[in-house]
């Protein structure tokens, strides 16, 4: 669960439902329905006082059931809609199918005759919707894209059974379209009427959201489109990282509710340049063992999700190296400082010192109009800055690289919080580097450390907050050609490839990997294996989230113990204005 940025006062008070200054509000908190039933706006939900109430049935009509139950509280977060007709009130909500965390949600409808004056009942109905939605948009206009080929090929079925009922009950306007080929979502997003929709929802894995961001980026008013349309994921694929980060779930119905109740949140996006091509990324970029374990195990898909773990272990045991040349624009290079940065951002959220999406939009417009923001650091083809004050390291060799992993979100999969200190829009990505020649025992320990949350603090794991990085691979089939190209641009000589050991040859044969080329993974998708440069754009994209400003994770271990009391509100605001501390966005819901 993510750290909650907003503080609480008296948990039993309900300042929205019971005001000491408004007697009418006090009296109207309870709506009398039927002969012996009432609905009361409580601190965190609607209290249903009715001996006959039983929400195990899809539709409940007062007086038709005779089971006896205690008063039940329906959380405001679970309420989808409330509608008052001439003499009845209908409340649509969801309830978990079981007490298990992230259990499937079932849609229910509660209908009562109204015995209260119509004007009082209407005010009560309006107030329940205000409490149910807060800062979220009611009755959103949603464009749904379904990838019928992703995951186990069940996206259409999952949408029909678990997602569509939630959207329908919430009164959303939904337009559904099925993608037919790779890249189809790019075309749909590029041609989307951004004034006709609020949300672009992908019933898929992480590939479709990436396509949607890149499709919106093709528009003439790209920056405006990326700010206006919230791109979200309905988890129906193999990798559902976006949903885990923003909603804390891999259950489609829970994600649907999170979208209905989600708050607009600016999201950092990264430009990846290769040659003359520019691609946007929202999740991660990897080279080395992670990319190889994912993209290099397509031949053993019959193993299911275990293929990644198998591929990872094969390469760990083989001590495979992935030599590169790289240069980094580092912003924070110390783990304690990274934790302090995380604590400062959460503190800013508590004080609600975050700029809105509109403010970030004005910043981007000032940089270059409504198209994509210009590249501050050029492309991979441009010379690196020689000024020592530029913040860039020089291009240097990393001959024993095991893993290059750059993350914009915390969760890379349901059980893989690789980047616990990542934040949605601090203008930085988290870069993890691990040597490939560490002991096999240590490597296995690292694999286990990811799931239990201790990975970040392992001494062999180097973590940096960066704003840009350039990488030139020195392995794989295109190595010679790339090395010649890189030498022309950078003047750095190529690294001679090492001959594989006997152990590496055996393990490579077992894994089925050809090893003839390397893999470069962006958001889980294969990009050309060639030199690349990454640059972060703060708050360029827009998503929906449950808790804006942080991901659905508790953060790096120990960040709560860091003293930031001296960072007063005035000091924090001053730091943001001067640009020394990037500031999170959007108001807390």
């Amino acid at each position: 669960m993510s750290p909650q940025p907003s503080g609480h006062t008296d948990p039993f008070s309900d300042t929205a439902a019971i005001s000491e200054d408004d007697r009418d509000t006090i009296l109207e908190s309870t709506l009398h329905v039927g002969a012996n039933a009432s609905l009361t706006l409580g601190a965190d939900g609607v209290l249903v006082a009715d001996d006959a109430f039983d929400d195990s049935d899809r539709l409940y009509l007062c007086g038709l059931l005779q089971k006896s139950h205690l008063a039940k509280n329906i959380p405001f977060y679970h309420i989808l809609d409330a509608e008052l007709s001439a003499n009845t009130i209908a409340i649509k909500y969801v309830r978990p199918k079981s007490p298990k965390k992230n259990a499937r949600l079932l849609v229910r409808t509660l209908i009562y005759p109204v015995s209260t004056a119509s004007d009082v009942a209407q005010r009560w109905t309006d107030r329940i919707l205000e409490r149910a939605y807060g800062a979220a948009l009611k009755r959103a206009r949603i464009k749904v894209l379904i990838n019928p080929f992703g995951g186990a090929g069940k996206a259409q079925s999952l949408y029909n059974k678990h997602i569509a009922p939630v959207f329908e009950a919430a009164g959303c306007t939904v337009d559904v379209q099925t993608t037919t080929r790779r890249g189809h979502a790019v075309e749909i997003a590029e041609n989307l009427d951004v004034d006709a929709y609020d949300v672009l929802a992908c019933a898929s894995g992480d590939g479709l959201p990436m396509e949607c961001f890149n499709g919106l980026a093709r528009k003439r008013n790209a920056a405006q489109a990326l700010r206006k349309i919230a791109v979200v994921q309905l988890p129906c694929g193999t990798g559902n990282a976006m949903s885990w980060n923003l909603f804390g779930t891999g259950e489609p119905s829970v994600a649907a509710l999170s979208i209905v109740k989600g708050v607009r949140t600016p999201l950092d996006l990264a430009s990846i340049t290769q040659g003359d091509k520019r691609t946007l990324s929202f999740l991660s970029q990897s080279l080395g063992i992670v990319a190889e374990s994912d993209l290099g195990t397509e031949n053993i898909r019959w193993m299911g999700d275990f293929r990644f773990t198998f591929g990872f272990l094969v390469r760990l045991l083989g001590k495979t190296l992935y030599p590169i040349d790289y240069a980094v624009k580092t912003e924070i290079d110390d783990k304690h400082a990274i934790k302090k940065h995380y604590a400062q951002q959460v503190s800013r959220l508590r004080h609600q010192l975050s700029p809105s999406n509109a403010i970030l939009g004005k910043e981007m417009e000032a940089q270059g109009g409504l198209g994509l923001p210009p590249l501050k650091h050029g492309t991979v083809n441009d010379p690196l800055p020689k000024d020592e004050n530029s913040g860039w390291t020089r291009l240097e060799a990393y001959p024993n690289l095991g893993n290059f992993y750059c993350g914009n979100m915390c969760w890379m999969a349901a059980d893989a919080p690789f980047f616990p200190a990542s934040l949605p829009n601090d203008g930085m990505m988290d870069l993890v580097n691990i040597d490939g020649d560490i002991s096999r025992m240590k490597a296995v320990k690292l694999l286990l450390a990811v799931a239990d949350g201790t990975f970040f603090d392992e001494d062999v794991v180097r973590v940096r907050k960066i704003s840009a990085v350039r990488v030139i691979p020195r392995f794989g089939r295109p190595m010679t050609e790339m090395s010649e190209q890189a030498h022309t641009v950078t003047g750095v000589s190529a690294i001679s490839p090492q001959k594989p050991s006997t152990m590496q040859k055996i393990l490579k044969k077992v894994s089925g990997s050809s090893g003839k080329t390397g893999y470069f993974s962006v958001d889980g998708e294969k990009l050309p294996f060639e030199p690349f440069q990454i640059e972060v754009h703060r708050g360029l994209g827009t998503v929906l989230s449950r808790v804006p400003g942080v991901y659905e994770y508790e953060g790096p271990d120990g960040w709560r113990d860091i003293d930031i009391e001296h960072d007063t509100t005035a000091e924090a605001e001053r730091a943001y204005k001067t640009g020394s501390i990037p500031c999170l966005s959007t108001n807390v819901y």
Side-chain angles (χ1 to χ4, degrees), residues 434-582:
I434 303 172
D435 294 346
D437 52 5
I438 60 176
S439 71
R440 294 186 177 94
M441 186 68 71
K442 190 68 174 179
V444 173
K445 181 182 177 183
L446 285 182
L447 180 62
L448 300 175
V450 174
D452 64 24
T454 60
F455 177 81
F456 182 93
D457 289 306
E458 291 289 339
D459 56 357
V460 297
V461 177
R462 185 179 184 185
V463 184
R464 285 172 280 183
K465 287 275 186 181
I466 69 168
S467 55
V469 62
R470 176 176 296 185
V471 176
I472 301 173
R474 301 299 193 188
F475 64 97
R477 182 166 52 194
M479 183 187 65
T480 304
E481 298 174 8
M482 291 189 301
S483 296
E484 293 175 355
Q485 175 189 357
H487 179 72
T488 301
V489 175
T490 66
V492 177
S493 299
I495 299 173
S496 299
Q498 297 180 347
K499 292 183 178 181
S501 66
T502 302
M503 172 67 79
Q504 289 173 330
K505 290 179 179 179
I506 294 173
L507 292 172
K508 186 181 294 184
K509 189 171 183 179
V510 171
S511 70
S513 173
S514 67
K516 293 181 179 179
T517 187
Y519 295 94
F520 176 41
S521 175
V522 175
D523 298 350
E525 300 298 311
K526 183 180 178 181
L527 258 64
F529 183 69
E530 59 189 42
F532 61 88
Q533 183 160 301
I534 305 171
E535 178 179 322
V536 182
H537 307 290
R538 179 169 171 246
L540 176 60
T542 304
V543 293
L544 300 177
S545 65
R546 296 202 316 163
V547 185
V550 289
Y551 291 124
E552 292 286 335
Y553 190 68
E554 60 264 26
D557 186 46
W559 73 267
R560 290 182 176 86
D561 301 327
I562 297 176
D563 180 18
I564 57 170
E565 289 300 319
H566 63 283
D567 295 331
T568 63
T569 298
E571 289 172 338
E573 190 63 27
R574 200 159 47 242
Y576 166 64
K577 289 180 179 178
T578 59
S580 58
I581 299 178

Side-chain angles (χ1 to χ4, degrees), residues 160-177:
N160 293 339
K161 293 180 180 179
H162 305 319
I163 298 167
V166 176
F167 287 166
E168 181 181 358
C172 298
T173 301
V174 181
D175 176 20
V176 180
Q177 185 171 351

Side-chain angles (χ1 to χ4, degrees), residues 30 92 105 132 164 296:
T30 297
K92 296 179 181 179
L105 298 178

Side-chain angles (χ1 to χ4, degrees), residues 346-392:
V346 175
S347 177
R348 293 183 65 81
L349 284 173
R350 291 191 177 119
H351 290 93
Q352 298 193 20
L353 292 175
S354 305
S356 66
N357 194 287
I359 293 176
L360 292 173
K362 290 180 180 178
E363 292 178 0
M364 283 186 285
E365 288 176 20
Q367 295 174 10
L370 295 178
L372 284 179
L375 294 169
K376 296 179 182 178
H377 309 293
T379 72
V380 69
N381 297 325
D382 297 316
L384 287 167
K386 296 182 179 179
D387 184 2
E388 293 182 356
N389 298 321
S390 67
W392 280 88

Side-chain angles (χ1 to χ4, degrees), residues 31-38 84 86-89 112-118 121:
L31 184 68
H32 295 283
V33 291
N36 300 300
S38 65
L84 186 69
N87 56 1
T88 61
I89 184 170
Y112 278 107
V114 177
S115 56
T116 311
S118 60

